[in-house]
Amino acid sequence: MDSVALSSPSPSPSTSTSSLKSRFLQKPSQNSKQLSSSVSFSSSSCSDFRSPTKAISMAAASNNGNSQRKIVTGPAGYVLEDVPHLSDYIPDLPTYPNPLQDNPAYSVVKQYFVHVDDTVPQKVVVHKDSPRGTHFRRAGPRQKVYFESDEVYACIVTCGGLCPGLNTVIREIVYSLYYMYGVKRVLGIDGGYRGFYAKNTIALTPKGVNDIHKRGGTVLGTSRGGHDTSKIVDSIQDRGINQVYIIGGDGTQKGASVIYEEVRRRGLKVVVAGIPKTIDNDIPVIDRSFGFDTAVEEAQRAINAAHVEAESSENCIGLVKLMGRYSGFIAMYATLASRDVDCCLIPESPFYLEGHGGLFEYIETRLKENGHMVIVIAEGAGQDLLAESIRSATQQDASGNKLLQDVGLWLSQKIKDHFAKEKKMPINLKYIDPTYMIRAVPSNASDNVYCTLLAQSCVHGAMAGYTGYTSGLVNGRQTYIPFYRIIEKQHHVVITDRMWARLLSSTNQPSFMNHKDVIEDKKEEELLTQIVNEDKKEEELPTKIPDISTEDNLVKKEIAA
């Protein structure tokens, strides 16, 4: 790839040479003096300059066609996965003082502006000799902005399924633009991506959105699919929009990435910023997605109802199906929070029904012990066991998600059929599916605060000229994450992690591994232990040993063992 020279007459987020020792508020003259020289970005060679981040490279990203990844490297294994900036492809952009410095609400705040070199590590637990690792740019207001308040024409769109907190995010974006930066023109796109070219728009004002956080759903409407990149960018360009805020899950963020690429290709001064939304909490990198805390809290009501029903009848099973298409985070955390659940089934942990160690045997055991039990199952669990799923495996909804069979109804019938066939004990089964009740509620206090921080951070980044990023929480700090990191994979429950072990300890449920699998795993573990022990013994041998034959070595090892 050819090297591209990017000129930066003003503080550039990717070419700072200021020391990490200087913090927050700086004099503009010092910044401009430090950053007046241009920096050459190249995928084949990196230019060194006086900065804690020694080299910057822009490598082609395989996920997004012609997109470029901004990778900044530094000493001790430091890597910054930076986000794009308008100045990367539009030269000589003017900058302006941040209006917040004259905002009376923030006049008492010390060190309010985020330093240009502030980054947040992706891994917070490290060893003393381990490299510093991957970092992301810290979110927050910058001392210089790349938009004047009067020139900003922003729009907000919500896509995909419903999630608690959508209205809170919309409200806080409008409030942040209006009261922090003096932006008066904010447009709501009605009905998801297709709303850019096929629906009416809604003018958003602080007065109009004042109480929407108290309602569930989204006042803008939403839909799946409908993404036509050319039509969307044409609409953005024709309307004169220069800040686009896109709220949605991984599929929506993929669409946002494509929109950013087209905006960049056309050379438009348009920021494309995303806020990750998925109730399943399956977006990678970030600590959690907004609405997740509310979903877990609401799931408790369904689990509590199932527990009351189960306790009130003899040999009664309360079965609750929760959200979790590919990731079982809601089911896992709701189970841990409840302490009334006897069995939790998630997509990441396969299970089987018949035979020794199977689900049916476990249900029978718990009913004999307690007279009742509660089962929680995520919607994506057990799909391989459904015979009907083979025919629908290739079917997808408008967002590209697989159409799943209703595993809750299927499992309910399977349990009833098994005990009716065995005639060992009569059972009662109560099935509860609170999916749409959970999705449609307003966000709780925790998620409301989180939504506020996400929205404000996203606005700060847009005004500072960053683009092609998602605002997210990493290790408890607000950050800007490049689109490609958000859409590269899904976040899953790791069933070899401590959290899943805590759940198994709480429910006392079996791991539902087949007997053959258990034997094979034990053999592999024993073989690995043997290899490790042999390696340790070899390391403990003295550096100078007699020159003896291989047979003697083997005999000594056997005796030592």
Side-chain angles (χ1 to χ4, degrees):
M1 187 181 70
D2 296 334
S3 61
V4 181
L6 299 181
S7 175
S8 178
S10 55
S12 172
S14 60
T15 62
S16 168
T17 59
S18 55
S19 171
L20 283 172
K21 292 180 180 179
S22 59
R23 278 294 189 241
F24 300 98
L25 291 174
Q26 305 160 352
K27 295 180 181 179
S29 59
Q30 291 177 338
N31 282 341
S32 58
K33 182 178 179 181
Q34 291 171 337
L35 305 167
S36 58
S37 60
S38 63
V39 178
S40 176
F41 296 84
S42 172
S43 62
S44 58
S45 62
C46 301
S47 57
D48 295 331
F49 50 95
R50 296 176 185 176
S51 170
T53 53
K54 288 185 178 179
I56 300 179
S57 66
M58 300 181 72
S62 57
N63 291 355
N64 303 324
N66 64 346
S67 68
Q68 293 175 321
R69 298 184 178 182
K70 295 174 66 175
I71 307 298
V72 182
T73 60
Y78 174 91
V79 177
L80 168 62
E81 296 201 28
D82 208 354
V83 296
H85 193 269
L86 292 174
S87 61
D88 292 345
Y89 64 93
I90 304 177
D92 303 323
L93 279 174
T95 61
Y96 312 95
N98 194 320
L100 283 173
Q101 67 187 24
D102 300 319
N103 191 317
Y106 296 93
S107 60
V108 297
V109 180
K110 294 182 179 179
Q111 299 181 336
Y112 186 70
F113 294 110
V114 173
H115 192 276
V116 70
D117 282 334
D118 281 359
T119 60
V120 178
Q122 182 176 2
K123 289 184 66 175
V124 70
V125 179
V126 296
H127 301 292
K128 62 179 182 179
D129 297 326
S130 61
R132 294 175 63 189
T134 301
H135 289 62
F136 299 103
R137 189 164 291 281
R138 183 185 176 191
R142 266 56 181 179
Q143 195 167 13
K144 294 290 183 181
V145 296
Y146 283 74
F147 291 92
E148 286 189 296
S149 301
D150 294 339
E151 75 169 302
V152 174
Y153 191 17
C155 75
I156 308 171
V157 63
T158 54
C159 305
L162 294 182
C163 178
L166 278 169
N167 281 334
T168 306
V169 174
I170 295 168
R171 180 187 188 273
E172 294 310 318
I173 291 176
V174 175
Y175 265 62
S176 298
L177 287 168
Y178 193 94
Y179 290 115
M180 289 185 179
Y181 290 99
V183 174
K184 301 297 191 294
R185 296 186 300 165
V186 185
L187 196 65
I189 304 299
D190 185 11
Y193 275 135
R194 61 171 52 92
F196 277 100
Y197 54 86
K199 289 274 188 178
N200 295 326
T201 57
I202 305 169
L204 299 175
T205 63
K207 184 177 180 180
V209 301
N210 184 54
D211 294 325
I212 63 173
H213 63 292
K214 299 175 183 178
R215 289 181 265 163
T218 166
V219 295
L220 298 181
T222 186
S223 67
R224 297 188 184 275
H227 189 282
D228 189 317
T229 306
S230 296
K231 287 184 178 180
I232 291 172
V233 179
D234 286 344
S235 175
I236 291 170
Q237 196 169 0
D238 293 342
R239 295 175 188 272
I241 293 170
N242 50 23
Q243 289 187 8
V244 183
Y245 297 93
I246 301 174
I247 310 168
D250 56 349
T252 301
Q253 300 302 314
K254 288 178 184 177
S257 177
V258 175
I259 292 172
Y260 157 70
E261 293 295 340
E262 180 62 18
V263 165
R264 178 168 180 152
R265 189 187 68 81
R266 298 188 188 187
L268 304 177
K269 187 187 177 183
V270 176
V271 165
V272 181
I275 294 180
K277 178 238 30 152
T278 169
I279 202 168
D280 292 346
N281 197 39
D282 58 359
I283 292 181
V285 181
I286 62 175
D287 294 353
R288 72 179 191 279
S289 54
F290 74 82
F292 176 70
D293 281 356
T294 305
V296 172
E297 186 175 301
E298 287 298 313
Q300 296 302 291
R301 302 178 189 274
I303 293 173
N304 183 58
H307 186 244
V308 170
E309 288 283 352
E311 276 192 320
S312 301
S313 301
E314 184 180 3
N315 293 333
C316 188
I317 301 169
L319 177 59
V320 181
K321 186 186 80 171
L322 298 175
M323 286 156 293
R325 182 179 293 271
Y326 304 111
S327 303
F329 286 103
I330 292 178
M332 180 175 71
Y333 277 84
T335 296
L336 283 169
S338 170
R339 302 292 175 176
D340 289 328
V341 178
D342 299 284
C343 183
C344 177
L345 306 172
I346 62 173
E348 295 89 340
S349 181
F351 65 95
Y352 61 101
L353 303 177
E354 307 280 353
H356 178 67
L359 180 62
F360 291 154
E361 182 183 79
Y362 176 62
I363 291 174
E364 186 176 337
T365 301
R366 292 312 292 259
L367 289 178
K368 287 179 180 178
E369 291 175 351
N370 300 332
H372 67 274
M373 76 176 299
V374 175
I375 302 173
V376 168
I377 184 167
E379 61 180 321
Q383 290 294 317
D384 57 325
L385 300 179
L386 279 72
E388 297 84 359
S389 66
I390 298 174
R391 294 195 297 270
S392 62
T394 58
Q395 296 181 12
Q396 298 179 335
D397 61 19
S399 294
N401 300 314
K402 279 186 179 180
L403 290 174
L404 303 180
Q405 298 294 317
D406 192 330
V407 71
L409 288 174
W410 172 82
L411 185 59
S412 298
Q413 193 59 48
K414 280 288 184 181
I415 293 173
K416 291 177 182 177
D417 292 344
H418 171 78
F419 281 94
K421 180 181 178 180
E422 294 294 325
K423 296 181 180 179
K424 290 184 177 180
M425 64 174 70
I427 65 163
N428 290 311
L429 193 145
K430 311 296 182 182
Y431 175 56
I432 299 175
D433 182 357
T435 300
Y436 294 104
M437 295 176 64
I438 292 175
R439 285 172 32 155
V441 300
S443 53
N444 63 10
S446 174
D447 274 327
N448 266 335
V449 174
Y450 185 28
C451 289
T452 300
L453 297 178
L454 283 172
Q456 289 184 1
S457 297
C458 200
V459 170
H460 290 319
M463 293 299 295
Y466 294 109
T467 183
Y469 69 89
T470 294
S471 175
L473 194 71
V474 177
N475 290 325
R477 294 284 187 177
Q478 295 293 327
T479 62
Y480 299 137
I481 307 164
F483 278 140
Y484 67 84
R485 286 303 309 271
I486 292 294
I487 65 179
E488 64 185 357
K489 62 180 180 179
Q490 286 183 313
H491 185 37
H492 296 288
V493 174
V494 180
I495 60 173
T496 56
D497 201 3
R498 290 188 182 91
M499 191 58 75
W500 186 245
R502 293 182 183 111
L503 181 139
L504 295 178
S505 176
S506 171
T507 60
N508 292 317
Q509 72 185 63
S511 63
F512 296 116
M513 296 180 68
N514 286 313
H515 184 61
K516 291 181 179 179
D517 295 333
V518 174
I519 293 175
E520 289 177 1
D521 285 350
K522 284 185 177 179
K523 285 182 178 178
E524 290 179 3
E525 186 177 348
E526 289 173 359
L527 180 61
L528 181 62
T529 304
Q530 183 180 353
I531 294 171
V532 171
N533 289 338
E534 288 181 356
D535 289 342
K536 285 183 178 178
K537 288 175 183 177
E538 289 179 359
E539 290 176 359
E540 291 172 358
L541 289 174
T543 54
K544 292 183 180 180
I545 58 176
D547 186 11
I548 56 179
S549 66
T550 306
E551 290 184 359
D552 290 339
N553 274 330
L554 291 174
V555 170
K556 285 191 174 185
K557 283 187 178 182
E558 289 178 1
I559 294 172

